[in-house]
Amino acid sequence: MTGGAEVIRVALPAHLRTLARVHGEVELQVTGQVTQCSVLDALEARYPMLRGTIRDQRTGKRRAFIRFFACEQDLSHDRPDTPLPEAVAAGAEPYLIVGAMAGG
């Protein structure tokens, strides 16, 4: 969706919920086009303690062990200005920020 402010649901991994002092999903107002960048901008504006935890503050790139999902799709490698799925923009589906696992 584009235009007015949309309410976006965001699910954070446990360690970021703890850092932000929230429980469950957070709801954010996003004005204009709903993209990964606009959602992350709104998230960091509301929860400044999350700045630098999801994306590098200098480059704006996603941190290596963070993944983005919506509507059962991995959006981690999409461009930050790519519009999110309509179901996310309408608040019907959450935007998922997931801590990736590594190891062997």
Side-chain angles (χ1 to χ4, degrees):
M1 267 191 187
T2 59
E6 302 298 334
V7 176
I8 307 302
R9 297 168 37 215
V10 179
L12 296 169
H15 68 287
L16 294 182
R17 286 194 312 268
T18 299
L19 184 61
R21 297 184 183 96
V22 298
H23 301 283
E25 292 180 351
V26 296
E27 291 186 351
L28 303 169
Q29 291 278 356
V30 176
T31 303
Q33 191 168 44
V34 179
T35 65
Q36 290 192 60
C37 188
S38 66
V39 170
L40 294 176
D41 287 347
L43 182 68
E44 291 173 348
R46 184 162 173 198
Y47 301 101
M49 68 286 287
L50 296 179
R51 287 189 187 125
T53 62
I54 298 168
R55 58 186 176 172
D56 183 276
Q57 286 185 287
R58 189 174 48 80
T59 65
K61 292 185 179 185
R62 171 182 59 87
R63 293 274 181 202
F65 291 102
I66 296 286
R67 306 291 290 206
F68 304 129
F69 292 88
C71 302
E72 300 182 20
Q73 296 177 351
D74 185 347
L75 307 176
S76 303
H77 298 289
D78 287 4
R79 293 176 46 95
D81 59 351
T82 301
L84 292 176
E86 180 65 29
V88 173
E93 292 287 330
Y95 179 67
L96 305 170
I97 300 173
V98 178
M101 298 296 285

